[in-house]
Amino acid sequence: MDQRYSLAGKHILVTGASSGIGRAVALRLDALGARVTLLARSEERLKETLACMQGGEHAFFCYDLSDVEGIEALIKEIVAARGKLDGMMYCAGDCLRAPLAVCKPAAVRESMQINYFAFVEMLRCVSKSKSCNSGASFVAMSSDSSMKGEKCLLTLSAGKAAMNSAVRCAAKELAPKKIRVNAIVTAFIGGTRMIGTTLENFGEEHVHSFFAENQPLGEGKPEYIADAAAFLLSDAAQFITGAIMVVDGGYLA
């Protein structure tokens, strides 16, 4: 392997690592030699992710990122226990599917808490010189809904659009410190909570019909996003920052 694509020895934090895209990213980083710190709410599911990994220098921390005020202390704890970070993949997210009529302030705040506020606070804390090494790369998991409106996805769309803007601004600010910040936007990926909820609400026939009509390359897999994340976290992407990378099977084409 070209060493620019290797993640050997790099310490990377993955949020939302207990399932779906977060778990797939953790497994891909493990295969590429990274030391991965897993973060999510469920200890049981984090242990399941850890059991699937082949490397021996991984660890997990349980935390609910909706508690934004405690994130700074969490990052200090992780760095003290595991060393400075070389990267972060922010996969935690909330997908409230609801019509505008029920998007009251409390529901909007709850969704924005994970999709935007927690991400900004994580980025603020991990980008400090005490928390990361020079050349660190931070990647956010965004959504095509940040660029294309969909019924009943107002809070997700707004939160991820705000995330995209934060990525661009932070990329400009952190570039002098040799820190890169990027985002990945995607549409509907199989094996995720969003697809699970859609299947429950609309049925398998509707979901397959949607893929056929809207995603030219069909249903995506978490592993496809993991490949893009691994690239952006590697030195092979050293000249990419402030980018909103589209990995959506052609949904936005």
Side-chain angles (χ1 to χ4, degrees):
M1 180 192 299
D2 188 320
Q3 289 304 303
R4 291 172 298 177
Y5 293 89
S6 172
L7 296 173
K10 290 185 182 291
H11 177 203
I12 299 176
L13 172 64
V14 180
T15 76
S18 59
S19 63
I21 293 173
R23 176 175 288 179
V25 170
L27 297 181
R28 186 56 43 86
L29 302 185
D30 167 48
L32 291 170
R35 292 193 305 116
V36 186
T37 296
L38 313 172
L39 182 66
R41 290 175 297 179
S42 171
E43 179 177 355
E44 180 180 354
R45 289 191 293 171
L46 282 170
K47 287 181 177 179
E48 291 174 359
T49 301
L50 194 62
C52 295
M53 301 170 76
Q54 302 299 314
E57 293 189 69
H58 311 307
F60 69 83
F61 289 75
C62 294
Y63 191 80
D64 183 349
L65 288 171
S66 64
D67 180 9
V68 176
E69 298 301 322
I71 287 176
E72 186 165 19
L74 169 70
I75 297 303
K76 288 180 179 178
E77 180 183 359
I78 290 173
V79 172
R82 303 271 293 155
K84 288 186 178 184
L85 293 164
D86 297 293
M88 175 183 72
M89 180 66 192
Y90 188 91
C91 291
D94 174 78
C95 181
L96 172 65
R97 182 180 287 276
L100 176 61
V102 301
C103 289
K104 295 183 178 181
V108 175
R109 280 195 298 269
E110 182 178 353
S111 181
M112 291 290 284
Q113 197 81 342
I114 293 292
N115 290 330
Y116 180 64
F117 295 121
F119 166 68
V120 171
E121 178 63 358
M122 287 285 287
L123 187 58
R124 183 184 76 83
C125 295
V126 298
S127 62
K128 292 182 177 181
S129 57
K130 293 181 179 179
S131 301
C132 73
N133 294 311
S134 178
S137 173
F138 303 127
V139 182
M141 188 70 250
S142 187
S143 167
D144 277 357
S145 63
S146 65
M147 301 179 174
K148 180 179 180 180
E150 291 287 351
K151 292 187 297 183
C152 300
L153 287 180
L154 185 151
T155 59
L156 176 67
S157 179
K160 295 302 188 179
M163 171 186 276
N164 293 352
S165 294
V167 163
R168 294 186 181 103
C169 292
K172 290 285 188 72
E173 185 172 338
L174 297 174
K177 298 172 64 175
K178 305 300 181 184
I179 294 173
R180 296 181 291 109
V181 188
N182 296 289
I184 298 171
V185 301
T186 192
F188 292 89
I189 301 295
T192 63
R193 280 188 303 161
M194 187 173 186
I195 283 294
T197 301
T198 304
L199 284 168
E200 290 176 7
N201 292 336
F202 300 102
E204 191 170 333
E205 183 177 345
H206 171 85
V207 171
H208 288 310
S209 175
F210 175 87
F211 283 133
E213 295 174 9
N214 295 281
Q215 290 186 191
L217 295 183
E219 181 176 348
K221 298 180 180 180
E223 290 79 10
Y224 301 161
I225 310 304
D227 288 336
F231 168 67
L232 289 174
L233 290 165
S234 76
D235 293 339
Q238 61 186 301
F239 200 58
I240 301 175
T241 195
I244 311 299
M245 178 184 284
V246 177
V247 187
D248 68 352
Y251 180 75
L252 288 178

